[in-house]
């Protein structure tokens, strides 16, 4: 997509080299050691391992790269947490329909098996998919991410069904054929921002619940709920609306009993990418543009964020009060006492903001305080991953938004990395297991501390 339609990327950059971990992986592991990390989450590129998407053609150079990268982490006691799919589908599979082809579920299982076989002796944390909402709604529904298909809610719901089945097939393959020897865990990562009611009215509470179902319940409910399947109230609304709109059957597909049972309970942990919060209401003045029909249009809800919440460099990301606490206590009450990992959480600055990123420092302190509140309330959050170690190619925004604890110089062919102030504060928090709101680094010179 970035080659054929470069104009869809804000600054016309692409991911060919990006931050170039391929050539800098030793430096990246050195940065993990500088910070004192004991785990690091990264993704495998399906196309790097299987250029045509299928297992008949394995790119051994890609396997070697990941082996070296994983070995370098293990050497320094850093646990790799590996995502199988973080949005880069082999082009040939896209040409066959990608996620909306029901055979996708088998293609994904085959790819997952290859990854378990090649890397599972050292990788003990597997995540099947990163963020189903962004894959299905943004990719197949709203045309705001690859493959930029505007197939509205029909595409979103079809993708959602195939995605959770693909996840479940990979999960069961792991449990049956790999876990007995490899002793790892397998889960999925869903983006769960908090959606609370704009007012205390009954209507706004209903809207907030419908919005949660449309944003992430669509993907979480089939896997984590007791009953399985898509969220009840949203499904009923879509069926009703589809009939009124003249569709012969609901735009939202249903699960057979066998599919429902396959997907329900297919997890060892729930990975959550959490960034912010929104307020939901029925008020039409808040209504932003959604392609119609879309899950949001189907939910009849609209959302907004208060003007006084601090803004990042990304339009969708503001610092919302205590949103980790609200999201995780809700998830625990809904899905029970399961293991959670925060697999992403972070803040963006502009490319010219430089190394003194006090707004990122403020965000991490607030987020981690909120996480501690959730743990104190009994939520089983077993791990936390900041997004991100370093600046990256940020999808449709190219390199115009920077999320790194380390700045990457994209003008430099070597892509040199330099720690920001937030890296020093983050390191201090991890080392002391304490969020010191007065801590100021004496200098911005980074070292690897003994024992880290
Ligand atoms: C910054 C990281 O965000 C993750 O994706 C998103 C995208 C949009 C929202 N949202 O609330 O609107 C949340 C998370 C993604 O996984 C990662 O690659 C980065 O892009």
């Amino acid at each position: 997509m970035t080659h054929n339609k470069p104009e869809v990327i804000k600054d016309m950059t692409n991911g060919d080299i990006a931050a170039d971990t391929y050539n800098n992986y030793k430096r990246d592991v050195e940065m993990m050691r500088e910070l004192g990390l004991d785990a690091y989450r990264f993704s495998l590129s399906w196309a790097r391992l299987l250029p045509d998407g299928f297992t008949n053609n394995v790119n051994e150079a890609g396997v070697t790269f990941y082996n070296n990268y994983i070995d370098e982490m293990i050497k320094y006691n850093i646990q790799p947490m590996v995502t199988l799919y973080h949005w880069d589908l082999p082009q040939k599979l896209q040409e066959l329909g990608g996620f909306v082809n029901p055979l996708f579920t088998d293609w994904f299982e085959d790819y997952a098996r290859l990854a378990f076989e090649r890397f599972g002796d050292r990788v003990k944390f597997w995540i099947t998919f990163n963020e189903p909402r962004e894959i299905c709604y943004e990719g197949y529904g709203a045309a705001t991410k690859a493959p930029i298909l505007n197939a509205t809610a029909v595409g979103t719901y079809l993708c959602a069904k195939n995605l959770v089945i693909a996840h479940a097939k990979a999960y069961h393959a792991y449990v049956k054929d790999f876990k007995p020897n490899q002793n790892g865990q397998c889960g999925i990562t869903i983006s769960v921002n908090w959606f609370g009611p704009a007012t205390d009215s009954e209507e706004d509470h209903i809207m907030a619940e419908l919005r949660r179902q449309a944003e992430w319940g669509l993907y979480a409910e089939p896997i984590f709920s007791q009953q399985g399947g898509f969220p009840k109230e949203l499904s009923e609304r879509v069926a009703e609306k589809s009939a009124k709109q003249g569709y012969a059957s609901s735009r939202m597909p249903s699960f057979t009993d066998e599919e429902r049972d396959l997907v329900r309970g297919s997890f060892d942990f729930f990975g959550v990418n959490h960034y912010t919060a929104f307020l939901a209401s029925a008020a039409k003045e808040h209504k932003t543009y959604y392609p119609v029909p879309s899950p949001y249009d189907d939910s009849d809800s609209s959302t907004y964020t208060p003007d006084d919440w601090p803004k990042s460099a990304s339009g969708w990301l503001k610092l919302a009060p205590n949103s980790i606490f609200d999201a995780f206590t809700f998830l625990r009450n809904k899905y029970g006492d399961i293991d959670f990992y925060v697999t992403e959480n972070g803040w963006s600055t502009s490319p010219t903001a430089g190394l003194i990123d006090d707004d990122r420092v403020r965000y991490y302190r607030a987020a981690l305080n909120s996480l501690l509140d959730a743990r104190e309330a009994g939520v089983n959050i077993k791990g936390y991953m900041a997004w991100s170690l370093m600046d990256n190619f940020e999808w449709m925004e190219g390199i115009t938004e920077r999320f790194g604890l380390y700045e990457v110089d994209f003008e430099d062919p070597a892509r040199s990395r330099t720690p920001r102030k937030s890296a020093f504060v983050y390191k201090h928090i991890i080392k002391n297991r304490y969020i010191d709101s007065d801590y100021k680094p004496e200098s911005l010179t980074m070292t690897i501390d003994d024992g880290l």
Side-chain angles (χ1 to χ4, degrees), residues 41 86-87 130-131 133-134 138 145 191 193 273 275-276 278 316 344 387 392 394-395 403:
R41 173 175 178 251
H86 196 132
W87 307 355
N130 179 65
E131 297 192 346
R133 183 199 87 99
E134 281 66 19
E138 294 210 43
K145 280 199 167 57
S191 51
N193 286 318
N273 289 354
Y275 285 88
T276 190
F278 298 86
W316 53 273
E344 285 183 26
W387 184 274
N392 56 285
E394 189 50 37
W395 314 113
F403 277 86

Side-chain angles (χ1 to χ4, degrees), residues 300-318:
D300 286 318
S301 65
S302 55
T303 61
Y304 76 102
T305 52
D307 290 339
D308 59 348
W309 289 2
K311 289 188 180 115
S312 71
S314 310
W316 53 273
L317 174 53
K318 285 183 170 180

Side-chain angles (χ1 to χ4, degrees), residues 330-349:
F330 183 89
L331 288 177
R332 191 268 320 269
N333 292 342
K334 195 164 180 60
Y335 299 127
D337 200 14
I338 61 178
D339 286 353
F340 293 101
Y341 286 84
V342 178
T343 42
E344 285 183 26
N345 176 246
W347 185 255
S348 61
T349 49

Side-chain angles (χ1 to χ4, degrees), residues 116-219:
F116 300 149
E117 267 160 29
R118 298 298 188 104
F119 309 118
D121 56 334
R122 287 149 296 153
V123 173
K124 302 301 165 196
F125 288 95
W126 292 100
I127 293 168
T128 52
F129 290 100
N130 179 65
E131 297 192 346
R133 183 199 87 99
E134 281 66 19
I135 297 169
C136 293
Y137 170 63
E138 294 210 43
Y140 290 82
T144 47
K145 280 199 167 57
I148 49 172
L149 294 179
N150 195 337
T152 67
V154 177
T156 308
Y157 297 142
L158 191 49
C159 168
K161 180 178 171 185
N162 290 343
L163 185 149
V164 295
I165 291 176
H167 155 81
K169 284 189 172 178
Y171 172 82
H172 289 296
Y174 186 71
V175 168
K176 180 168 164 285
D177 295 335
F178 298 92
K179 198 172 182 171
N181 290 324
Q182 296 182 351
N183 296 314
Q185 302 186 28
C186 182
I188 187 169
T189 280
I190 298 178
S191 51
V192 180
N193 286 318
W194 177 241
F195 292 84
T199 71
D200 214 14
S201 73
E202 194 188 339
E203 195 184 28
D204 283 357
H205 277 279
I206 292 171
M207 284 299 133
E209 174 54 24
L210 279 163
R211 187 64 180 217
R212 291 189 287 263
Q213 294 187 6
E215 291 276 349
W216 44 262
L218 195 55
Y219 315 99

